[in-house]
Amino acid sequence: MCQACHGMDGLSKVPEAPSIAGQTESYLAAQLQAFRAGTRKNETMNVVTSTLSDADVANLAAYFSAIEIKVVKVPGE
Amino acid sequence: MCQACHGMDGLSKVPEAPSIAGQTESYLAAQLQAFRAGTRKNETMNVVTSTLSDADVANLAAYFSAIEIKVVKVPGE
């Protein structure tokens, strides 16, 4: 269900969703856990994470963290 | 002050901080505002955003959103 907003490649497809490709596994897992617990608030993410198991969280964090990204251009450089 | 954790290029330098390069300007501004207001909770970010003006928020969102990133490799592809 993640890909509609975050893309299968982890790059954001809608302005309100961040790119998650290549974020650290620990960061992604922590955010999923926070959304699931409701301590980080976002209507969509609070709903979609509500049914995730701990294994789901671990698998999603592993998948998206394994995508490699690089910077193409920094403004002014 | 952002670069110690998020890099001048917007790529994370520490595991607990996300890469912010190429995130949408609206997403970055919304997160900075949420950290500043305390509605998104993170000890470091709540402190470092506390003194940001609205113009600072806008400028930071503009800078980091203007960095172009691309996916180098998706696992299994």
Side-chain angles (χ1 to χ4, degrees):
Chain A
M1 67 182 91
C2 313
Q3 66 268 24
C5 296
H6 297 287
M8 277 300 289
D9 61 0
L11 296 185
S12 170
K13 307 309 175 201
V14 296
E16 60 272 29
S19 294
I20 56 176
Q23 301 292 10
T24 63
E25 196 166 352
S26 57
Y27 177 78
L28 291 172
Q31 300 314 306
L32 288 170
Q33 289 159 359
F35 282 127
R36 187 176 60 177
T39 52
R40 183 175 174 188
K41 296 188 188 307
N42 175 274
E43 270 186 46
T44 303
M45 288 302 294
N46 293 149
V47 170
V48 298
T49 56
S50 64
T51 58
L52 296 180
S53 67
D54 288 346
D56 292 334
V57 167
N59 286 336
L60 289 167
Y63 174 79
F64 286 105
S65 67
I67 299 171
E68 293 174 35
I69 64 166
K70 74 169 194 176
V71 163
V72 179
K73 184 167 171 38
V74 176
E77 286 191 0
Chain B
M1 64 182 94
C2 313
Q3 66 268 25
C5 296
H6 296 286
M8 276 302 287
D9 62 1
L11 295 185
S12 170
K13 306 309 175 202
V14 297
E16 62 271 29
S19 294
I20 56 176
Q23 302 291 11
T24 62
E25 196 165 353
S26 58
Y27 177 79
L28 291 171
Q31 300 313 306
L32 287 169
Q33 288 159 358
F35 283 127
R36 187 177 60 178
T39 53
R40 184 175 174 187
K41 296 189 188 307
N42 175 274
E43 269 186 48
T44 303
M45 288 301 294
N46 293 149
V47 170
V48 297
T49 57
S50 63
T51 57
L52 295 181
S53 67
D54 288 344
D56 293 333
V57 167
N59 286 335
L60 290 167
Y63 175 79
F64 285 105
S65 66
I67 299 171
E68 292 175 36
I69 63 167
K70 72 169 194 175
V71 163
V72 179
K73 184 167 171 36
V74 176
E77 288 189 0

